[in-house]
């Protein structure tokens, strides 16, 4: 894990672990939406996560849009999603 994932992983103790971190710039994701979503699908197929954490997106709209699309891909695969976003983020 990196970034916020380190703190989350530490808080999970022995009950669970973060097994992968996917990093993508918000501009790239939103300007290459279909390619980025396809890549997220590839990662989900490879990693087979039990849960996806999308974020943090803070109060930044483009981060929020990327997190929303990641959540959409995960949900289409039947994977629960938790997002880390400011409540007014799009």
């Amino acid at each position: 894990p990196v970034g916020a994932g380190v703190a989350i992983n530490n808080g999970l103790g022995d009950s669970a672990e973060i097994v992968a971190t996917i990093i993508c710039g918000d501009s790239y994701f939103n300007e290459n939406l279909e390619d980025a979503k396809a890549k997220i699908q590839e990662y989900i197929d490879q990693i087979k996560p039990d849960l996806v954490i999308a974020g943090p997106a803070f109060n930044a709209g483009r981060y929020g849009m990327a997190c929303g699309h990641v959540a959409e891909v995960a949900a289409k695969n039947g994977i629960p999603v938790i997002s880390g976003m400011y409540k007014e983020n799009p």
Side-chain angles (χ1 to χ4, degrees):
V2 297
V6 173
I8 293 169
N9 206 48
N10 289 339
L12 293 171
D14 293 331
S15 63
E17 70 176 316
I18 294 176
V19 297
T21 301
I22 300 169
I23 299 170
C24 181
D26 60 323
S27 291
Y28 178 85
F29 197 102
N30 287 286
E31 291 170 8
N32 300 279
L33 188 58
E34 295 308 313
D35 289 341
K37 287 170 61 175
K39 195 64 175 175
I40 295 298
Q41 182 63 59
E42 285 180 33
Y43 287 133
I44 285 175
D45 291 343
Q46 292 170 12
I47 299 164
K48 299 183 183 358
D50 296 322
L51 172 74
V52 169
I53 301 172
F58 311 107
N59 189 20
R62 291 177 67 87
Y63 284 126
M65 295 300 292
C67 289
H69 286 294
V70 168
E72 176 185 38
V73 173
K76 284 183 179 177
N77 287 273
I79 301 168
V81 181
I82 297 172
S83 64
M85 294 189 266
Y86 186 75
K87 67 180 183 177
E88 293 177 4
N89 199 298

